[in-house]
């Protein structure tokens, strides 16, 4: 790929501005800033001063100059003598200039780019696409809901040479806004989620709104959308945009039909290119099904088979804070949708409520409905119709505008002006065995209501045997020659086992290094007394302040990141230790052989940065059939590190061996090894498993036992069947705890009083059913989900995954208990 960098010399041409003052024209632009508080590395930063209605960015120019910024885009004249030695370019619109920079960067990149727009679900579809594509692509995407005239260019600016696909969302609130976003994103593939009432006030009618949104896709190779949305379908045909549509009702490029729906999943038949298949979507509400089908259709367009797509979408995870079902006090369940409230979202939430079968009694706690663009009389008449159609037994209405509901809703309602007023009266409400939908605009702080209602006791625990962990550490330590250091991987919450508790034990037992995935994890360890050196495997520009503050050591794996850390250290005039990642065949992250001379020269000329280690990752050290490949990796690593050392003229640690590499390749031990999954009791090569001890026991208890006959069924969709009179135990664990739904229907087994007992029926969100006919079981008995029997390795094999996934899936709500004999 050609360079996508922009120099200061190019900047005035790109933004179409007048150069009022010029300094170092060779500086490469690294960061676009609109907020003075978000400055990270001043070298290579450009500040865009926006003269807004409520805030004037020009007031912060001198402040940023004093912090080291030397490039400014301005909209009005400023005293240049206060910022000598800087480049200043005046434009008519700083926002347009920001967009022009992002558009230029996008034009240098030839990767496929997916753009998403619509009235709702842009962020959900974006995040789900990222979930299903992240194993095949290096993805750049919009952070959070960055879909505005400012958010889109900041998102697109994040593209770099490593990315292989982009996924960006775009939103507009009135006419003549989408053209600018189209020039920035330049999508090859489009997704139109749906059309609804959001921002109706910015358009004359629904047709105009669709027309304006479609301007994003005029140059697309294909637009993915649901053909059942007749208004959208008509406008797409009128615009002549190439499409790849789908339908639940009729003919389309991809045809879906819902064939079964229970309380937790929707089974969908799919017909694509004369091939049929079935999808199991882990959702039941119409909105989530629609969003999942947008994702599935996109997979088909990208060339995935029905089987591949089915496997991916079955594992889709709901986004945090969106329609979360939580166990509550007194046999109740709470649907937590406490972060927003608009008319379309209310319809979605009520549909979800209707499909929750834990209780037939339904209560809705609802705030004023904001941002509808409708007259209050019309709005609350529609709200009343939705509540009536959902057969809600009771409504608690909070806010001043929602009082309008009195005119059109005849059901039972309690009205309160504020959330505080409701809390004063909370004791009078005796919620008993009902499902409560809590839906409110963010300003009403309904999360406080959820916290009051939610059940806080959970009987499922993960016990961590600290003695076993140290035993495993010593097994690997015994394989090392004297003086070889050990770096222990404590990323991902120590593979699901715990955070600083594990790190503290490792520090006590004399390991040399720790490694975490993100800087925040390292900061947490520092705040809990960890003084060991800590390597951060996924550093970003935005994490450099944390890295410096907590004396963390970033892994550097590509040129842009290297340049950023050099400039940051120079700007702060601070010393930073780094670890150089070298790619010898993994083809994931790392500098390649062709890069190393340039890397070495750059490092040798910057005294603020010191290489404390260089390392590589063995791609197949657990597999004897690839030993030749591993030997070639080590040979290349020796050659590359020799070049680096000769140029730097100082020594650094070398490390290559992971857990399986420690066991199988003594010649790869070098100065240090990286101990990961083996520390937690799993030997991935399968050769030395008997030497290790399981450190984790995932356990729960029996909540109830029932006797059923051969004619009866168990669980959702009546999936559980028995051939004879049997005893069925309900246990207090489900997929929300990390006990995967793939263990359903006999795939998984648990240990009850020494007897292996199969899961019967589908694993539910918060509980599962077990056939304990052969066990001498009683209510309250302990149930082992994994440990020494069954093992995580066995469960991984049964579900077609790896032990890492089983361990790291144990949910954060599961209490960790650490013990030592």
């Amino acid at each position: 790929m050609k360079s996508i960098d922009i120099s200061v010399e190019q900047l005035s041409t790109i933004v179409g501005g007048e150069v009022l003052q010029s300094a170092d024209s060779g500086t490469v632009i690294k960061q676009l800033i609109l907020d003075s508080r978000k400055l990270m590395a001043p070298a290579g930063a450009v500040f865009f001063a926006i003269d807004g209605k409520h805030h004037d960015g020009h007031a912060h120019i001198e402040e940023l100059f004093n912090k080291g910024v030397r490039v400014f885009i301005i909209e009005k004249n400023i005293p240049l003598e206060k910022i000598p030695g800087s480049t200043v370019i005046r434009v008519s619109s700083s926002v347009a200039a920001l967009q022009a920079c992002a558009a230029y960067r996008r034009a240098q990149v030839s990767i496929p780019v997916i753009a998403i727009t619509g009235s709702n679900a842009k962020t959900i579809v974006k995040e789900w696409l990222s979930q299903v594509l992240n194993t095949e692509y290096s993805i750049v995407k919009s952070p959070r809901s960055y879909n505005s005239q400012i958010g889109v260019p900041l998102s697109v600016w994040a593209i770099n040479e490593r990315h292989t696909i982009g996924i960006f969302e775009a939103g507009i609130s009135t006419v003549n806004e989408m053209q600018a976003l189209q020039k920035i994103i330049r999508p090859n593939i489009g997704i139109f989620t749906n059309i609804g009432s959001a921002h109706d006030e910015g358009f004359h009618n629904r047709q105009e709104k669709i027309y304006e949104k479609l301007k994003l896709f005029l140059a697309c190779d294909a637009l993915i959308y649901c053909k059942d949305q007749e208004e959208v379908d008509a406008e797409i045909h009128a615009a002549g945009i190439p499409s790849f549509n789908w339908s639940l009702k009729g003919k389309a490029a991809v045809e879906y039909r819902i064939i079964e729906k229970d309380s937790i999943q929707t089974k969908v038949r799919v017909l694509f290119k004369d091939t049929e298949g079935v999808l199991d979507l882990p959702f039941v509400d119409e909105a989530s099904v629609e969003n999942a089908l947008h994702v599935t259709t996109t997979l088909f367009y990208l060339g995935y088979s029905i089987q591949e797509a089915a496997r991916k979408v079955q594992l889709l995870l709901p986004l945090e804070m969106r329609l979360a079902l939580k166990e509550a006090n007194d046999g109740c369940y709470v649907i937590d949708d406490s972060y927003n409230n608009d008319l379309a979202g209310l319809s979605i939430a009520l549909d979800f409520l209707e499909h929750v079968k834990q209780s037939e009694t339904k209560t809705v706690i609802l705030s004023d409905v904001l941002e509808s663009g409708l007259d209050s009389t019309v709005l609350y008449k529609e709200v009343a119709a939705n509540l009536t159609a959902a057969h809600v037994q009771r409504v608690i209405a909070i806010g001043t505008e929602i009082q309008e509901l009195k005119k059109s809703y005849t059901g039972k309602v309690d009205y309160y002006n504020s959330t505080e007023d409701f809390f004063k009266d909370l004791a009078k409400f005796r919620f008993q065995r009902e499902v409560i939908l809590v839906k409110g605009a963010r300003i009403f702080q309904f999360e406080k209501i959820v916290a009051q209602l939610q059940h806080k006791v959970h009987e499922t625990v993960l016990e961590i045997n600290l003695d076993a962990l140290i035993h495993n550490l010593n097994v690997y330590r015994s394989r090392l020659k004297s003086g070889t250091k050990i770096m222990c991987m404590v990323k991902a919450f120590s593979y699901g086992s715990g955070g600083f508790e594990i790190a503290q034990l490792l520090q006590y037992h004399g390991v040399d290094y720790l490694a975490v995935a993100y800087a925040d994890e390292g900061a947490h360890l520092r705040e809990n007394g960890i003084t060991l050196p800590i390597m951060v495997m996924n550093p970003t520009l935005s994490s450099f302040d944390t890295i410096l503050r907590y004396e963390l050591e970033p892994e550097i794996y590509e040129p842009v990141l290297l340049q950023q850390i050099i400039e940051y250290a120079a700007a702060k005039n601070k010393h930073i230790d780094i670890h150089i990642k070298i790619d010898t065949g993994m083809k994931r992250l790392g500098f390649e052989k062709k890069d190393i001379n340039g890397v070495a020269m750059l490092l040798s000329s910057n005294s603020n940065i010191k290489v404390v280690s260089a390392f590589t990752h063995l791609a197949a050290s657990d597999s004897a059939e690839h030993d030749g490949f591993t030997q070639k990796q080590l040979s290349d690593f020796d050659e590359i590190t020799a070049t680096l050392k000769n140029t730097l003229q100082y020594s650094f640690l070398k490390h290559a061996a992971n857990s399986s590499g420690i066991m199988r390749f003594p010649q790869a031990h070098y100065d240090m090894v990286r101990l990961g999954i083996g520390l937690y009791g799993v030997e991935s090569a399968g050769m030395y498993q008997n030497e290790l001890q399981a450190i984790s026991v995932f356990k729960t208890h029996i909540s109830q036992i029932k006797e059923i006959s051969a004619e009866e069924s168990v669980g959702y969709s009546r999936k559980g069947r028995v051939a004879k009179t049997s005893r069925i135990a309900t246990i207090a664990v489900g997929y929300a705890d990390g006990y995967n739904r793939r263990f359903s229907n006999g795939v998984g087994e648990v240990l009850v009083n020494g007897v292996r007992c199969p899961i019967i029926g589908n694993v539910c969100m918060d509980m599962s059913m077990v056939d304990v006919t052969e066990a001498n079981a009683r209510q309250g008995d302990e149930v082992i989900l994994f440990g020494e029997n069954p093992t995580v390795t066995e469960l991984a094999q049964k579900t077609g995954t790896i032990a890492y996934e089983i361990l790291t899936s144990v949910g954060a709500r599961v209490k960790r208990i650490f013990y030592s004999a």
Side-chain angles (χ1 to χ4, degrees):
M1 180 189 291
K2 61 182 177 180
S3 173
I4 62 175
D5 288 334
I6 298 174
S7 68
V8 172
E9 184 178 20
Q10 298 171 286
L11 191 58
S12 61
T13 302
I14 291 171
V15 303
E18 177 187 1
V19 180
L20 302 181
Q21 183 170 286
S22 180
D24 181 8
S25 60
T27 298
V28 174
I29 295 169
K30 298 296 183 183
Q31 187 183 10
L32 311 183
I33 307 170
L34 290 91
D35 187 336
S36 60
R37 296 166 298 181
K38 297 183 179 179
L39 174 66
M40 298 307 297
V46 180
F47 179 65
F48 294 79
I50 300 172
D51 186 10
K53 291 182 180 179
H54 306 292
H55 184 78
D56 186 357
H58 297 79
H60 297 281
I61 288 177
E62 192 173 347
E63 169 197 345
L64 286 164
F65 176 80
N66 292 333
K67 291 180 177 179
V69 177
R70 292 296 180 266
V71 186
F72 300 92
I73 305 292
I74 62 173
E75 295 178 343
K76 60 184 185 183
N77 289 330
I78 60 171
L80 298 180
E81 65 274 11
K82 292 187 176 181
I83 51 172
S86 60
T87 297
V88 183
I89 303 172
R90 185 170 58 198
V91 296
S92 58
S93 167
S94 291
V95 172
L98 174 78
Q99 294 175 343
C101 287
Y104 180 89
R105 191 175 181 94
R106 166 68 181 97
Q108 312 311 305
V109 177
S110 59
I111 63 174
V113 169
I114 301 171
I116 307 167
T117 196
S119 294
N120 299 287
K122 296 182 289 293
T123 301
I124 293 173
V125 171
K126 176 199 70 187
E127 294 298 332
W128 282 356
L129 274 175
S130 179
Q131 284 181 30
V132 299
L133 295 175
N134 64 11
T135 55
E136 290 83 27
Y137 292 91
S138 175
I139 299 170
V140 57
K141 63 178 180 177
S142 308
R144 299 184 294 278
S145 298
Y146 273 35
N147 58 37
S148 66
Q149 299 292 307
I150 289 175
V152 167
L154 292 177
S155 300
V156 172
W157 180 259
I159 291 176
N160 64 43
E161 291 89 343
R162 292 186 298 107
H163 294 127
T164 56
I165 196 168
I167 310 173
F168 302 107
E169 54 179 294
I172 58 174
S173 56
T174 189
V175 298
N176 299 321
E177 289 186 337
M178 191 61 88
Q179 296 95 316
L181 302 187
Q182 191 280 333
K183 291 177 182 177
I184 300 167
I185 301 175
R186 295 178 58 178
N188 315 98
I189 304 166
I191 300 175
F192 197 115
T193 59
N194 53 45
I195 197 70
S197 59
H199 301 297
D200 269 356
E201 65 274 14
F203 305 91
H204 290 104
N205 52 45
R206 190 64 59 85
Q207 183 180 8
E208 181 182 61
K209 183 160 70 170
I210 298 171
Y211 173 77
E212 290 293 327
K213 288 179 181 290
L214 287 179
K215 290 179 180 178
L216 180 61
F217 307 121
L218 293 179
C220 271
D221 297 327
L223 173 57
I224 293 163
Y225 72 100
C226 178
K227 192 176 180 182
D228 302 335
Q229 299 182 56
E230 296 179 0
E231 292 176 299
V232 175
D233 185 51
E235 289 298 318
I236 290 172
H237 281 294
I241 300 173
S243 66
F244 187 74
N245 52 27
W246 62 270
S247 174
L248 280 165
K249 300 176 180 177
K251 294 291 184 181
V254 185
E255 297 172 15
Y256 301 105
R257 298 294 184 270
I258 295 176
I259 54 178
E260 186 181 350
K261 181 180 288 192
D262 58 29
S263 296
I264 58 172
Q265 70 175 358
T266 302
K267 192 175 292 291
V268 180
R269 179 176 290 112
V270 55
L271 176 62
F272 173 52
K273 289 184 176 179
D274 297 323
T275 302
E276 285 195 28
V278 174
L279 311 174
D280 290 318
L281 306 180
F283 309 101
V284 294
D285 62 287
E286 291 182 8
S288 294
V289 170
E290 177 182 270
N291 298 333
L293 294 181
H294 283 312
V295 171
T296 308
T297 306
T298 305
L299 289 174
F300 293 150
Y301 182 79
L302 291 172
Y304 290 85
S305 68
I306 292 178
Q307 292 74 21
E308 290 171 325
R311 177 177 54 83
K312 286 178 173 290
V313 298
Q314 187 178 15
L315 301 177
L316 286 176
L317 299 173
L319 299 191
E320 185 178 1
M321 290 187 70
R322 186 60 177 162
L323 292 177
L325 183 65
K326 301 176 178 180
E327 190 176 356
N329 295 312
D330 299 318
C332 295
Y333 284 82
V334 171
I335 300 173
D336 182 2
D337 196 8
S338 59
Y339 83 112
N340 80 354
N341 195 18
D342 56 30
L343 192 57
L346 176 61
S347 177
I348 292 168
L350 289 173
D351 178 67
F352 184 84
L353 174 66
E354 191 173 355
H355 285 92
V356 175
K357 301 302 184 185
Q358 275 81 349
S359 173
E360 294 300 320
T361 304
K362 309 292 173 69
T363 294
V364 174
I365 303 177
L366 184 66
S367 79
D368 289 343
V369 179
L370 305 180
E371 300 180 0
S372 70
L374 299 175
D375 173 79
S376 62
T377 302
V378 175
L379 168 63
Y380 288 102
K381 187 174 182 179
E382 194 161 341
V383 170
N386 285 339
L387 291 170
T388 302
H391 306 292
V392 173
Q393 280 79 19
R394 173 171 55 182
V395 176
I396 297 170
I398 299 176
T400 55
E401 296 179 12
I402 202 171
Q403 310 281 336
E404 188 74 25
L405 193 62
K406 296 176 181 177
K407 298 179 181 178
S408 49
Y409 184 62
T410 58
K412 181 179 179 181
V413 188
D414 292 281
Y415 291 95
Y416 295 91
N417 288 329
S418 67
T419 305
E420 291 72 21
D421 289 343
F422 168 66
F423 274 125
K424 293 175 185 176
D425 230 5
L426 183 60
K428 88 168 191 180
F429 292 95
R430 297 183 61 82
F431 299 107
Q432 295 282 337
R433 300 190 180 279
E434 55 193 283
V435 182
I436 307 164
L437 169 62
V438 181
K439 183 160 185 62
R442 192 182 298 274
I443 62 172
F444 285 89
Q445 297 183 307
F446 273 14
E447 66 273 12
K448 295 180 180 179
I449 297 176
V450 174
Q452 283 288 326
L453 299 176
Q454 190 175 348
H455 185 47
K456 297 178 178 62
V457 177
H458 201 272
E459 296 181 338
T460 300
V461 300
L462 185 69
E463 293 184 349
I464 312 298
N465 185 339
L466 300 178
D467 292 336
L469 183 135
I470 296 307
H471 167 85
N472 296 337
L473 172 65
N474 290 332
V475 167
Y476 285 95
R477 184 173 264 162
S478 68
R479 296 298 203 281
L480 304 177
K481 67 178 185 293
S482 177
T484 302
K485 298 179 182 294
I486 299 178
M487 174 184 285
C488 288
M489 313 303 287
V490 293
K491 62 181 181 176
F493 200 50
S494 293
Y495 290 62
S497 300
F500 67 88
E501 297 91 345
I502 297 293
Q504 285 174 334
L505 185 69
L506 294 172
Q507 179 171 272
Y508 178 80
H509 282 272
V511 304
D512 304 282
Y513 257 93
L514 300 176
V516 297
Y518 300 104
D520 287 347
E521 294 176 295
H524 179 67
L525 296 182
R526 286 279 185 258
E527 290 169 352
N528 285 277
I530 301 302
T531 59
L532 286 173
I534 300 173
M535 183 175 77
V536 178
M537 302 179 70
N538 295 286
T540 61
L541 178 61
S542 62
S543 69
F544 287 174
D545 274 349
T546 301
I547 286 171
L548 184 61
R549 183 182 309 119
Y550 291 98
E551 298 183 347
L552 309 175
E553 300 173 7
E555 167 188 322
I556 304 298
Y557 49 81
E558 55 97 36
V560 172
L561 192 60
L562 177 59
Q563 186 67 41
Q564 287 175 341
I565 197 69
I566 288 172
E567 292 176 358
Y568 179 84
K572 297 291 186 180
N573 195 26
K574 296 291 186 180
H575 174 87
I576 298 177
D577 289 338
I578 67 171
H579 301 256
I580 294 294
K581 176 72 174 287
I582 297 169
D583 184 3
T584 57
M586 184 73 170
K587 298 305 177 187
R588 196 166 62 178
L589 296 178
F591 295 100
E592 297 183 345
K593 186 185 296 187
K594 61 182 175 59
D595 303 318
I596 210 65
N597 284 320
V599 169
M601 292 300 295
L602 186 59
L603 286 167
S604 64
S605 62
N606 287 277
S607 58
N608 286 330
I609 299 294
K610 182 180 179 182
V611 177
V612 292
S613 90
F615 69 104
T616 194
H617 195 97
L618 302 180
S621 58
D622 58 348
S623 177
E625 65 177 303
H626 298 300
D627 283 356
F629 184 87
T630 301
Q631 297 288 0
K632 178 65 165 56
Q633 281 193 272
L634 296 175
S635 174
D636 289 346
F637 181 60
D638 289 338
E639 180 182 345
I640 292 169
T641 52
T643 300
L644 185 62
K645 182 178 178 180
N646 288 338
T647 305
L648 293 180
Q649 295 296 299
Y650 62 77
S651 298
F652 45 79
L653 297 173
K654 293 169 59 178
H655 48 112
N658 50 9
S659 295
S660 55
I662 294 171
M663 292 296 199
R664 301 191 64 247
F665 290 93
Q667 70 272 34
H669 290 176
Y670 295 110
D671 306 301
M672 184 161 65
V673 295
R674 298 189 307 277
L675 180 55
I677 192 69
L679 184 65
Y680 304 98
V682 177
E683 209 288 290
S684 55
M687 299 172 61
Y688 307 97
Q689 184 63 56
N690 62 340
E691 295 186 37
L692 301 180
Q693 295 178 7
I695 77 160
S696 305
V697 180
F698 192 17
K699 61 173 59 175
T700 187
H701 295 81
I702 294 175
S703 301
Q704 187 179 26
I705 296 178
K706 293 184 176 180
E707 186 168 293
I708 69 169
S709 64
E711 295 78 32
E712 296 178 285
S713 59
V714 177
Y716 290 122
S717 305
R718 305 190 69 198
K719 294 294 185 183
R721 299 286 181 170
V722 294
K724 61 181 181 180
T725 299
S726 303
R727 300 178 75 235
I728 306 300
T730 299
I731 60 176
V733 68
Y735 55 80
D737 305 290
Y739 195 67
N740 201 293
R741 288 187 76 252
R742 286 176 287 180
F743 295 135
S744 300
N745 301 305
V747 174
E749 290 182 309
V750 300
L751 195 70
V752 180
N753 296 327
V755 178
R756 293 280 286 262
C757 300
I759 298 294
I760 183 168
N762 287 328
V763 172
C764 308
M765 179 179 289
D766 303 296
M767 59 194 76
S768 305
M769 285 69 71
V770 182
D771 188 340
V772 294
T773 306
E774 303 303 319
N776 182 21
R778 296 181 301 175
Q779 182 174 329
D781 280 356
E782 186 179 85
V783 178
I784 305 299
L785 305 166
F786 67 65
E788 292 184 358
N789 181 20
T791 66
V792 291
T793 300
E794 178 186 353
L795 294 180
Q797 290 170 347
K798 283 191 170 187
T799 52
T801 185
I802 55 178
Y804 296 70
E805 181 181 345
I806 303 295
L807 285 172
T808 59
S809 293
V810 178
R813 77 177 188 178
V814 173
K815 183 178 181 180
R816 269 68 174 175
I817 298 175
F818 300 88
Y819 70 96
S820 179

